[in-house]
Amino acid sequence: GYAVHAQNCPPNIDFENGSYGYWKFYVGSCCPIVTPTPGQITGRHTLTSGSGVDFYGGFPIVAPNGGLYSLKLGNNGTGAQAERAEYFVHIPAGVNNYSLIYNFAVVFEDPGHAPSEQPRFEVSVFDSTTGLLVPCAQYTYVSGSGLPGFTYNSAYAVWWRGWSTASLDLSGLAGHTIRVSFASGDCKLSGHFGYGYVDLACSLFQISSVVC
């Protein structure tokens, strides 16, 4: 469970400024997802607000209980495009069991390609000091049948997963700055789309026990 202690909110990590401030954005191609080009592009990195729902999944475009804004990564266009959003978080010194809570939702077309060529959504954490991936904090969702928590929309051959909550284990990184990265990618053959939504909770939580 979560201990009572929580850090102050890193600025705009939850998009509640109604802006893109403090986040870094990139575009590129898939697959694999490679995003060398910096810059926020509306339509590919898009703040969502209001009471609308996703066209394919019917879930809200803003995370429930996530405030007034969320971020949509990607779109239902094609062209083997990929999008990335990143945020740098400093983990307080002296506290080694921390977890970052995030909400996400995903929509994938399913062209039935090989897994390496399918639309995808990736969550990863890097130690910005070393540039290395943080173990226990990497998640990749690839379009296809059998995805846990996903529902199939047969009218559009689309898999979707509504808003879900997950956590990133940041244990052992006290005093480090980490780079949290979310990325979406279309299919490699450029004919099918993949996109996602993301929102972060406003705190780093100290956790009393960690299970990887």
Side-chain angles (χ1 to χ4, degrees):
Y2 302 111
V4 174
H5 179 73
Q7 288 300 114
N8 292 330
C9 187
N12 201 41
I13 194 172
D14 52 5
F15 304 107
E16 290 307 295
N17 290 1
S19 76
Y20 300 98
Y22 296 93
W23 283 81
K24 296 182 181 298
F25 300 94
Y26 303 87
V27 294
S29 61
C30 190
C31 307
I33 293 177
V34 180
T35 52
T37 307
Q40 182 270 323
I41 300 174
T42 299
R44 296 180 71 179
H45 317 99
T46 308
L47 278 181
T48 57
S49 61
S51 58
V53 298
D54 182 80
F55 177 81
Y56 301 96
F59 55 82
I61 59 173
V62 176
N65 306 315
L68 298 177
Y69 300 93
S70 295
L71 179 74
K72 182 179 179 181
L73 268 182
N75 53 48
N76 66 348
T78 57
Q81 293 183 335
E83 296 80 23
R84 187 180 302 275
E86 295 187 335
Y87 192 97
F88 288 81
V89 178
H90 181 71
I91 303 194
V95 182
N96 279 302
N97 292 332
Y98 262 72
S99 181
L100 186 65
I101 311 300
Y102 68 96
N103 299 298
F104 70 103
V106 186
V107 179
F108 293 136
E109 274 192 294
D110 184 7
H113 300 326
S116 64
E117 300 172 334
Q118 290 274 76
R120 64 199 53 231
F121 182 77
E122 297 178 353
V123 182
S124 47
V125 178
F126 301 86
D127 185 334
S128 64
T129 306
T130 62
L132 298 176
L133 285 164
V134 175
C136 303
Q138 317 300 320
Y139 301 94
T140 300
Y141 304 89
V142 177
S143 180
S145 62
L147 285 170
F150 279 75
T151 301
Y152 192 60
N153 180 334
S154 58
Y156 295 97
V158 164
W159 289 97
W160 61 272
R161 177 172 174 164
W163 286 101
S164 307
T165 301
S167 63
L168 298 170
D169 177 4
L170 307 177
S171 299
L173 292 168
H176 291 233
T177 296
I178 52 128
R179 174 165 54 96
V180 183
S181 176
F182 301 92
S184 63
D186 295 338
C187 87
K188 185 171 186 173
L189 305 183
S190 80
H192 302 87
F193 64 77
Y195 64 88
Y197 299 83
V198 67
D199 206 349
L200 275 78
C202 193
S203 294
L204 286 164
F205 291 93
Q206 184 176 352
I207 46 183
S208 53
S209 63
V210 177
V211 179
C212 177

